[in-house]
Amino acid sequence: MNGDELLVKRKKGSKKFVIGAAVIGVMFFLVGMLIGFFGHESEHAPSPATTKPEVLDPTQLIIQNVDVNFLQTLLKNFSSKARMAGTESGSELANMIRDMWASSGLDNVHLSTYKVLLSFPNQSDPNKVELVNKTTGKIVFTSNSFEPGLTTEDQNKSFISYNAFSPAGTVLGSIVYVNYGTVEDFQYLTQNLSMDLSKKIVIARYGIISASKKVYNAEQYNASAIVLYSDPADVNRDSERQSSESAYPNSWWLPKGGIQRDTVNYDYGDPDTPGYPSTNYNLPIDPSKRALTKIPCQPVSYSDALILLSNLSGSVSPEHWHGALPIEYRIGPGYENNSEIEVKVTVNNYLDKRVIKNVIGMIKGSEEPDRYIILGSHHDAWVYGTVDPQSGNAALSQAVEIFGHLLAKGFRPRRTVMFCSWDASEFGFIGSTEWVEENLQLISERSVAYLNVHSLVEGNFSLKAVSSPLLQDAMYTVAHQVPSPTKNVSTLYDLWLAQSKLYSSNEKEPSVSYSLWSGSDHEVFYQRAGVSCADLSFNFDFRKYPITTYPLHHSAYDNYFSYEHFNDPGLKYSKAVTQFWVLLANYLANAPLLPFKVTRFSAALENFITDLVHNYKEIWGQNNVQYDQLISAAKNFTEATICFEKTLLSEKELNKKPLKLRMYNDQIMQTERAFLIQQGLPSKPFSKNIVFTQSNSEPSNEKSFFPGISTTMYNIKNGKSQWNQLKHQIYLATLCLQSAATQLSLPGTCN
């Protein structure tokens, strides 16, 4: 029956229908009178005592709900097995995290999967380093492929030592000690000692630079293979370094049989799809064009390195090359009084396509759903990985629980909050890179910040923050709200500042590093998408322990036993960093005006440029290199940031001007993006941030920013004619500075 038919039938109703309708109307009138009467009476009647509705304080709720027991339970569970990417146990953990997050009340939780190229050791034919008599063929020494079990947690569980993406191959030759394998170390051998490293096997200790850079440097000097080891000077600094009592399981020091694993992938992301995501419709590159190392690389323990380094021939190495093994650190090549002995490196790694699983969760923002605050960690590990990454991964799941709890109480963040647990990070940040590459346009346009934690607590001394200058002041604000994990100071900020002053007495604020070019999954967000990033952890005292990272890093002994006994007994520092991380995310997600300070950014860049000009002004003048416009652009950028912040201070009731508020926030977000260059660095095309990047050829002690300029100058000073490249890099830096100044000076802000 349609509407017209209904109306017709009603018009044709009987007289009884009219009388009935009148009666019903009178009844409704009488009921209404009664309700009105009693309602009026109740207004004057005494009412029972009422309490004011609870006012939700997200800050206190976050601080109170970071639960040590929750972190302990997850940490034990996550690190109960080896969680290597592309394996059954790695996939199991990803599914476990997804199910846990889904039960926390997030708006959306899903797996983001990719099929990528990974590298694995041959279980039936492990890699090894041997000493061989080249005349008789007799093997006089073979390195251990496994780490011995030392506690009930690691007994009867053997994991082959290898470095991912090292090619398979067998190399026989003389061995040469190259210290840390830095550019300077190789230059000393080839320039000061006139040594030819062609077809030599080099041995280097871990530290100072990444494993991939060591291999890259060895390749550049035509070495045929490289062996890596952890010297006790870097991983067991106790007085009795060769005594088992001084190391794990009695302390946090690496025992003599410990072996560090790593990747030697030159760049980050799937080697088969450089620059593009590994989707099922992507065509992988020709395998011959993969940017992978060409020479075999194998890690060994320092007990095995002792045998390989003992009785080397050649001159004694410089004093700063000496580690803590009980030997005279000679350089080689070959062995003293025994020319028949050579080193044989055998690597049987293989490449395989495997499915990896990122876990992605989201709470949609109430007012700005298209603006993202992203929290990230990773869940794959070389072995158990309790510090790296499961401590960060447990904290990430704690963050999910807390934001889900806030959502259940009716508190939805202003901006969208995303949670990302990455896979295959240890292989070269593959999971995060593929996800960013697939969503690059979205991430570039909409992301406010990416906050990363992969090693929650490496030591119990002070907060370590590696961050964009834009986020620095927001971190200070939040650190004031976090209770200190120690008794002598009240807040995390106070502890952070006090420990910073121990390194530099004139510090007026906690130290923050701007070295965002490597180390974890934040790299792709910063280098490809220009998103403001921070990487957070609690670290050890570098004055007391002048080492690169915690000693059990990437070994089978980085397990829950070592974490609860040595890294963070009682997990009080884990609690503090988690509180800080979640509060920072909540602050950025809800502040109407983004709490980013652009003058902090311009001040940092102006200091970098001042240093560059001071260092190279004379040689630039001698070679007709113009840099006046670079200085002018830096000044323009500084003036634009000052004017922009004055404009913000003069604004009244911005909350009532949503479009203008949106404009200001967009300008703040775009400040970081202005320093991306399409072509990337000369030797690293996928690293596009012109200020905060490092090239493969960067010298280890080069601390200058604007690496396109500083690295080119380093090459020029070492005999390469790259003056045109230098001029181009200065031009690009000038262009980016001027572009950043212009976008902050849009009409309506600074004129």
Side-chain angles (χ1 to χ4, degrees):
M1 184 182 298
N2 61 36
D4 291 338
E5 290 173 336
L6 182 61
L7 286 173
V8 170
K9 285 188 174 290
R10 284 178 180 169
K11 286 180 180 178
K12 292 183 178 180
S14 65
K15 186 175 181 180
K16 291 180 180 179
F17 175 84
V18 175
I19 295 171
V23 171
I24 291 170
V26 171
M27 290 177 64
F28 273 112
F29 175 77
L30 291 173
V31 170
M33 289 286 290
L34 290 170
I35 292 173
F37 173 80
F38 287 110
H40 180 71
E41 286 292 306
S42 66
E43 288 178 5
H44 298 281
S47 59
T50 59
T51 58
K52 293 183 179 180
E54 179 185 357
V55 178
L56 182 64
D57 182 354
T59 298
Q60 287 305 309
L61 187 145
I62 290 168
I63 290 173
Q64 293 167 5
N65 281 270
V66 173
D67 183 2
V68 166
N69 292 327
F70 183 91
L71 292 173
Q72 286 175 327
T73 300
L74 289 190
L75 202 49
K76 287 180 182 178
N77 197 358
F78 289 174
S79 61
S80 62
K81 299 178 182 179
R83 304 291 188 179
M84 189 182 293
T87 66
E88 183 178 346
S89 60
S91 178
E92 174 190 71
L93 181 55
N95 293 336
M96 184 193 310
I97 293 168
R98 175 200 58 194
D99 295 344
M100 184 192 315
W101 289 9
S103 67
S104 297
L106 304 189
D107 293 331
N108 177 271
V109 178
H110 66 275
L111 295 176
S112 174
T113 62
Y114 303 94
K115 194 169 186 179
V116 300
L117 187 73
L118 299 179
S119 169
F120 297 95
N122 189 320
Q123 297 290 334
S124 61
D125 194 4
N127 304 339
K128 54 194 172 185
V129 180
E130 299 169 306
L131 291 180
V132 181
N133 186 305
K134 63 182 179 182
T135 301
T136 65
K138 182 181 179 181
I139 297 172
V140 297
F141 162 77
T142 301
S143 65
N144 291 311
S145 299
F146 307 94
E147 292 163 282
L150 299 176
T151 69
T152 54
E153 292 203 7
D154 45 48
Q155 286 286 355
N156 303 318
K157 298 175 183 177
S158 297
F159 304 97
I160 293 177
S161 61
Y162 85 116
N163 279 336
F165 293 111
S166 166
T170 299
V171 175
L172 185 69
S174 299
I175 193 165
V176 175
Y177 175 57
V178 295
N179 192 29
Y180 288 109
T182 65
V183 171
E184 299 91 334
D185 293 336
F186 279 99
Q187 285 178 343
Y188 174 79
L189 294 173
T190 57
Q191 295 177 11
N192 294 44
L193 301 185
S194 301
M195 186 176 289
D196 182 4
L197 295 176
S198 298
K199 298 184 180 180
K200 299 293 191 302
I201 296 171
V202 298
I203 181 169
R205 47 179 171 158
Y206 281 112
I208 306 298
I209 60 174
S210 67
S212 61
K213 281 194 174 184
K214 296 175 194 292
V215 179
Y216 178 87
N217 292 338
E219 277 191 2
Q220 299 307 300
Y221 286 88
N222 302 312
S224 58
I226 181 170
V227 177
L228 299 178
Y229 80 101
S230 301
D231 196 280
D234 303 305
V235 295
N236 190 353
R237 297 181 66 88
D238 276 4
S239 57
E240 297 180 8
R241 294 184 179 97
Q242 304 311 307
S243 169
S244 60
E245 286 75 22
S246 68
Y248 172 90
N250 299 309
S251 77
W252 77 328
W253 296 117
L254 185 72
K256 61 183 179 180
I259 305 174
Q260 178 177 325
R261 298 148 183 82
D262 219 318
T263 182
V264 292
N265 188 2
Y266 286 154
D267 222 318
Y268 45 91
D270 182 4
D272 267 355
T273 60
Y276 298 94
S278 299
T279 56
N280 55 12
Y281 50 85
N282 193 354
L283 182 65
I285 63 172
D286 187 319
S288 65
K289 296 181 179 179
R290 291 168 177 160
L292 296 176
T293 177
K294 304 298 189 296
I295 65 173
C297 173
Q298 176 62 17
V300 298
S301 66
Y302 62 81
S303 63
D304 287 341
L306 173 63
I307 296 173
L308 295 172
L309 290 169
S310 293
N311 301 313
L312 280 180
S313 63
S315 59
V316 177
S317 64
E319 187 174 350
H320 67 277
W321 285 33
H322 296 181
L325 291 171
I327 60 171
E328 190 173 37
Y329 279 78
R330 291 185 175 272
I331 291 173
Y335 293 96
E336 191 173 29
N337 302 323
N338 201 337
S339 60
E340 293 296 305
I341 298 297
E342 287 192 317
V343 175
K344 184 179 180 181
V345 177
T346 302
V347 173
N348 296 312
N349 296 349
Y350 65 95
L351 299 171
D352 195 21
K353 287 279 194 177
R354 300 281 181 93
V355 173
I356 61 170
K357 298 178 177 181
N358 298 328
V359 188
I360 311 295
M362 183 183 71
I363 294 177
K364 189 176 181 181
S366 60
E367 297 183 47
E368 298 182 71
D370 62 336
R371 291 291 180 261
Y372 307 150
I373 309 299
I374 307 174
L375 290 80
S377 186
H378 71 93
H379 56 260
D380 70 298
W382 289 122
V383 192
Y384 304 111
T386 306
V387 174
D388 178 11
Q390 304 307 353
S391 61
N393 199 30
L396 181 62
S397 291
Q398 174 78 93
V400 168
E401 286 287 321
I402 290 173
F403 273 100
H405 187 50
L406 285 166
L407 192 63
K409 286 184 170 289
F411 186 87
R412 182 174 289 274
R414 177 188 182 95
R415 300 181 181 91
T416 293
V417 180
M418 300 184 72
F419 310 91
C420 305
S421 184
W422 309 114
D423 202 353
S425 177
E426 296 293 6
F427 286 83
F429 319 135
I430 292 179
S432 56
T433 299
E434 300 312 303
W435 188 78
V436 170
E437 286 175 341
E438 184 176 17
N439 301 284
L440 184 58
Q441 194 69 26
L442 205 65
I443 300 302
S444 298
E445 290 181 356
R446 300 185 178 185
S447 297
V448 173
Y450 174 78
L451 309 176
N452 189 76
V453 172
H454 70 284
S455 295
L456 192 68
V457 175
E458 293 190 6
N460 46 32
F461 178 70
S462 180
L463 184 71
K464 178 184 177 184
V466 182
S467 172
S468 161
L470 288 179
L471 285 169
Q472 188 167 349
D473 292 272
M475 290 194 295
Y476 290 159
T477 298
V478 170
H480 279 292
Q481 302 170 341
V482 179
S484 170
T486 63
K487 296 179 179 179
N488 56 327
V489 293
S490 60
T491 70
L492 182 62
Y493 180 92
D494 298 325
L495 177 62
W496 188 7
L497 177 58
Q499 308 299 43
S500 298
K501 286 183 175 181
L502 293 177
Y503 284 85
S504 178
S505 58
N506 59 353
E507 288 283 358
K508 293 182 173 58
E509 56 189 9
S511 61
V512 172
S513 170
Y514 299 148
S515 303
L516 274 163
W517 48 71
S518 64
S520 195
D521 294 284
H522 60 267
E523 183 165 355
V524 65
F525 285 87
Y526 205 64
Q527 299 298 339
R528 301 271 184 99
V531 177
S532 298
C533 292
D535 184 51
L536 311 171
S537 64
F538 223 85
N539 222 312
F540 48 85
D541 187 350
F542 289 96
R543 299 168 310 148
K544 184 178 180 181
Y545 306 116
I547 55 181
T548 304
T549 186
Y550 66 100
L552 302 180
H553 183 239
H554 288 179
S555 75
Y557 308 122
D558 179 3
N559 53 36
Y560 186 77
F561 174 88
S562 62
Y563 193 87
E564 71 168 347
H565 283 85
F566 311 123
N567 293 88
D568 190 14
L571 273 69
K572 60 181 180 178
Y573 297 96
S574 299
K575 179 178 181 179
V577 183
T578 305
Q579 290 171 327
F580 179 69
W581 191 17
V582 181
L583 282 173
L584 180 60
N586 186 66
Y587 183 33
L588 298 180
N590 290 291
L593 180 67
L594 292 176
F596 292 5
K597 196 168 182 180
V598 292
T599 52
R600 177 80 70 173
F601 200 96
S602 62
L605 267 57
E606 195 159 26
N607 286 336
F608 302 157
I609 291 171
T610 299
D611 289 343
L612 282 172
V613 172
H614 174 76
N615 291 336
Y616 303 123
K617 177 169 60 175
E618 184 175 347
I619 192 172
W620 286 354
Q622 293 170 356
N623 290 274
N624 196 32
V625 176
Q626 302 298 318
Y627 56 88
D628 289 347
Q629 289 184 330
L630 177 65
I631 297 174
S632 177
K635 182 180 179 182
N636 291 343
F637 179 52
T638 297
E639 290 175 350
T641 59
I642 293 170
C643 181
F644 182 80
E645 290 189 353
K646 284 182 178 178
T647 301
L648 293 181
L649 287 173
S650 67
E651 285 285 358
K652 305 297 181 185
E653 298 183 318
L654 259 181
N655 283 340
K656 297 180 180 179
K657 306 170 186 175
L659 293 180
K660 181 169 273 193
L661 178 63
R662 177 81 164 194
M663 179 189 75
Y664 288 141
N665 283 337
D666 284 352
Q667 286 177 276
I668 292 169
M669 286 171 55
Q670 289 304 316
T671 300
E672 205 86 67
R673 274 71 154 177
F675 293 92
L676 296 184
I677 51 174
Q678 188 63 33
Q679 65 269 48
L681 282 183
S683 62
K684 209 170 183 182
F686 296 119
S687 292
K688 300 180 181 298
N689 190 298
I690 199 169
V691 184
F692 304 99
T693 314
Q694 233 183 8
S695 70
N696 280 329
S697 58
E698 186 108 3
S700 63
N701 63 353
E702 183 60 72
K703 301 303 182 185
S704 298
F705 294 88
F706 288 99
I709 297 174
S710 58
T711 303
T712 303
M713 279 306 304
Y714 180 86
N715 293 337
I716 288 172
K717 288 189 292 183
N718 282 276
K720 294 183 180 180
S721 181
Q722 295 184 346
W723 290 106
N724 286 337
Q725 178 174 297
L726 173 67
K727 293 174 183 178
H728 184 62
Q729 292 300 313
I730 292 176
Y731 158 75
L732 290 175
T734 304
L735 180 65
C736 289
L737 283 161
Q738 195 57 54
S739 175
T742 300
Q743 76 88 19
L744 282 177
S745 304
L746 291 174
T749 54
C750 294
N751 298 305

